[in-house]
């Protein structure tokens, strides 16, 4: 019996560790992906709208190419007539808007600052969950949100400079991403990650096609290669976080997402030779602490029973 018990208890532990690994991997990939988008805008001269349009077009092309294979899960019905179509496409539009604003923000700010502002999304989701879904917001979550906001201010130090546009874009991206997560939470019974990817690609191509008349820039083969890499990295990041959520509860994994800020500081140093200041390090610590507190990480202690 003891051997059987050990065998039944061990897999969940291994699965939880694997889930944390997927979360850490997704954080690294997301930051790397947006660092590539920064290079596409600042080095290769593409626009934020163009980068997002190309990403959506590539994903849509791959989805259409996968339709002949039944195991892919991609069908015309799921693409054109999904369940609760308006809600799925509203969620897709929110993610497309978030992507455009995030690419713009990363192009105008250091990776660390843009990432720090991006980490306000879980805090905004907490507030939206209380307002829209009528979820109870505990004192710990409220204090965590306040700590995270203070840490964000330490990193970005908003003023009247040109960086204010980047700050606004990053906060807009975080808000749109929080709305996307809120809608996806409502759709989890009818929409899989494949459905989400297909709808984002379809909606992105439809919404952004018209803007390419004014915002298209000539793209060379080197830039196109970076676009393909950016799309692969971002899609793999999305798959990684989905794999993590299949293996563990979202509330248990959320605190680990805040460690993506450490990846951002590393990416700034390696790719753009930008080293974090003492204020940025302190702000990052506050954001991580706020995220842990908001998720109950400081409260779940092994207290005597």
């Amino acid at each position: 019996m003891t051997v059987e018990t050990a065998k039944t208890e061990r897999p969940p532990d291994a699965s939880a560790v694997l889930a944390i690994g997927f979360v850490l991997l997704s954080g690294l990939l997301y930051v790397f992906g947006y660092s590539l988008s920064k290079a596409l805008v600042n080095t290769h001269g593409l626009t934020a709208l163009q980068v997002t349009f190309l990403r959506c077009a590539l994903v849509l092309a791959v989805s259409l190419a996968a339709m002949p294979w039944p195991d892919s899960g991609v069908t015309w019905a799921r693409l054109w007539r999904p369940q609760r179509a308006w809600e799925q496409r509203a969620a897709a539009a929110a993610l497309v808007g978030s992507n455009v604003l995030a690419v713009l923000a990363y192009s105008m700010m250091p990776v660390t600052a843009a990432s720090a502002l991006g980490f306000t999304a879980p805090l905004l989701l907490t507030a939206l969950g209380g307002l829209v879904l009528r979820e109870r917001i505990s004192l710990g979550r409220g204090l965590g949100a306040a700590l995270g906001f203070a840490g964000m201010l330490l990193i970005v130090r908003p003023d009247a400079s040109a960086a204010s546009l980047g700050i606004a874009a990053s906060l807009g991206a975080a808000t749109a991403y929080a709305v996307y997560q809120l809608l996806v939470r409502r759709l989890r019974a009818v929409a899989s990650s494949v459905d989400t990817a297909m709808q984002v690609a379809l909606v992105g191509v439809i919404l952004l096609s018209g803007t390419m008349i004014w915002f298209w820039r000539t793209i060379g083969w080197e830039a196109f290669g970076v676009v393909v890499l950016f799309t692969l990295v971002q899609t793999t990041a999305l798959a990684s976080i989905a794999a993590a959520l299949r293996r563990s509860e979202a509330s248990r994994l959320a605190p680990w997402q805040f460690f993506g800020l450490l990846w951002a500081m590393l990416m700034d140093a390696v790719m753009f030779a930008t080293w974090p200041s003492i204020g940025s390090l302190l702000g990052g610590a506050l954001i991580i602490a706020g995220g842990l507190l908001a998720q109950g990480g400081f409260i779940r202690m092994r207290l005597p029973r």
Side-chain angles (χ1 to χ4, degrees):
M1 294 293 291
T2 54
V3 174
E4 291 180 359
T5 303
K7 286 183 178 179
T8 56
E9 289 179 353
R10 192 170 180 180
D13 294 338
S15 182
V17 172
L18 186 60
I20 292 171
F22 275 124
V23 170
L24 296 177
L25 175 62
S26 71
L28 173 61
L29 291 175
Y30 272 128
V31 172
F32 179 50
Y34 281 120
S35 297
L36 290 173
S37 75
K38 182 183 179 76
L40 284 170
V41 175
N42 293 345
T43 303
H44 297 283
L46 277 65
T47 64
L49 288 165
Q50 184 180 8
V51 171
T52 304
F53 171 78
L54 289 170
R55 175 189 173 184
C56 292
L58 285 171
V59 173
L60 183 59
V62 171
S63 299
L64 293 174
M67 281 188 179
W69 285 269
D71 292 340
S72 69
V74 180
T75 64
W76 280 106
R78 292 177 70 176
L79 180 63
W80 296 108
R81 297 187 301 277
Q83 297 184 59
R84 294 164 64 176
W86 285 106
E87 289 182 72
Q88 285 205 49
R89 284 165 183 163
L95 187 58
V96 170
S98 175
N99 200 131
V100 171
L101 290 171
V103 172
L104 179 63
Y106 275 83
S107 70
M108 302 180 71
M109 304 171 67
V111 173
T112 301
S115 296
L117 285 162
F119 280 117
T120 59
L123 308 178
L124 290 168
L125 183 62
T126 299
L128 288 173
L131 292 172
V132 179
L133 299 181
R134 302 299 180 186
E135 295 176 348
R136 180 177 174 272
I137 300 177
S138 65
L139 177 61
R141 288 188 177 186
L143 291 175
L147 270 180
F149 185 75
M152 177 269 294
L153 291 178
L154 270 177
I155 291 177
V156 300
R157 294 186 298 277
D159 52 31
S161 68
S164 296
L165 179 58
I167 293 171
S170 196
L171 288 174
T175 303
Y177 188 62
V179 171
Y180 160 76
Q181 288 183 303
L182 187 71
L183 291 171
V184 167
R185 182 183 294 179
R186 292 163 58 96
L187 290 163
R188 58 189 172 187
V190 300
S192 67
S193 56
V194 173
D195 294 307
T196 300
M198 288 192 299
Q199 293 306 314
V200 170
L202 178 64
V203 170
V205 169
I206 292 173
L207 288 180
L208 300 178
S209 292
T211 67
M212 292 301 97
I213 299 173
W214 298 281
F215 294 99
W216 181 266
R217 300 290 184 273
T218 303
I219 179 171
W221 286 110
E222 181 182 352
F224 183 73
V226 178
V227 169
V228 172
L229 180 59
F230 166 70
T231 303
L232 287 173
V233 168
Q234 293 292 84
T235 304
T236 305
L238 187 64
S240 296
I241 196 65
L245 291 171
R246 284 195 298 268
R247 289 167 171 80
S248 186
E249 298 174 1
S251 60
R252 293 177 181 270
L253 295 175
W256 295 95
Q257 295 184 39
F258 287 87
F259 282 82
L261 190 56
L262 303 179
W263 295 129
M265 292 180 181
L266 178 63
M267 210 65 64
D268 250 341
V270 172
M271 292 185 66
F272 305 104
T274 301
W275 298 92
S277 64
I278 298 299
S280 294
L281 293 173
L282 179 59
L286 285 177
I287 289 174
I288 292 172
L292 290 169
L293 183 59
Q295 298 297 329
F298 291 156
I299 299 173
R300 294 195 203 98
M301 307 292 288
R302 292 183 177 273
L303 297 175
R305 296 182 179 180

